Amino acid sequence: AGTSQRGDFLQINDDLWKDDLDLKLFAAIRLSRLLIPGMRERKWGRIINVLNLGAKAPNGGGAPTAVSRAAGMALMKILAHENAPHNILVNGLLVGRIKSEQWERRHANDQRGLTLEEWYDDAAKTLGLGIGRFGTSEEFANIATFLASERGSYINGTAINVDGGSCPMV
């Protein structure tokens, strides 16, 4: 939730750093603290930390959001190790370009007169998306549902790119 703060490192003040870390890292810390005790009692749980590709492959101008996402990935790995004996699996999903209201707002501000689908096609080419298109929320939900199920019961402590092949990192 919320918006990502990004910019030139020297232009980002401490308040923006704190806000971003609070939104993206400390929210996950606080929620995990609330959920893990009950999961340990039940001897079953799944935590899926939604991150973005900047956690693995940050670009210039990606601070502070890429830093907070990378910290979230480290948190995921720590929680995975600590909670595996309690049958609590913790994984991360690194989201790529998914069709969303955020992108629809960008389309609405575009002055070229393209339909939304034409705009998505053009943006996919411009951004160099590996699979040549934006993903859908359903495609993202498919992997999340799998990880939350018993079918994903041997997957723990991993960060999975859901990006159509866009990220240069595995």
Side-chain angles (χ1 to χ4, degrees), residues 52-73:
N52 71 24
L53 299 177
K56 282 186 183 179
N59 291 318
T65 193
V67 174
S68 58
R69 300 293 189 178
M73 198 162 59

Side-chain angles (χ1 to χ4, degrees), residues 32-160:
S32 296
R33 277 191 201 134
L34 289 172
L35 297 176
I36 289 172
M39 290 177 174
R40 284 184 177 184
E41 277 182 36
R42 289 185 297 280
K43 300 274 189 239
W44 195 96
R46 303 293 187 262
I47 297 172
I48 301 169
N49 194 358
V50 178
L51 304 163
N52 71 24
L53 299 177
K56 282 186 183 179
N59 291 318
T65 193
V67 174
S68 58
R69 300 293 189 178
M73 198 162 59
L75 172 67
M76 174 215 60
K77 195 67 170 177
I78 289 166
L79 293 177
H81 283 292
E82 289 183 4
N83 291 288
H86 305 282
N87 193 32
I88 301 168
L89 307 180
V90 184
N91 292 290
L93 293 179
L94 281 67
V95 65
R97 310 293 191 186
I98 302 291
K99 291 181 179 181
S100 67
E101 288 180 17
Q102 174 188 4
W103 292 105
E104 289 174 16
R105 284 191 300 272
R106 290 185 186 189
H107 166 256
N109 291 326
D110 188 282
Q111 302 298 314
R112 295 177 294 163
L114 300 173
T115 67
L116 181 58
E117 286 308 312
E118 290 170 337
W119 187 88
Y120 272 126
D121 289 343
D122 183 66
K125 290 175 192 158
T126 302
L127 295 168
L129 301 186
I131 205 166
R133 65 174 176 83
F134 278 66
T136 66
S137 56
E138 293 82 8
E139 289 171 315
F140 188 83
N142 288 338
I143 186 68
T145 302
F146 177 76
L147 289 175
S149 75
E150 280 302 315
R151 297 179 85 182
S153 62
Y154 199 63
I155 302 168
N156 188 39
T158 192
I160 300 170

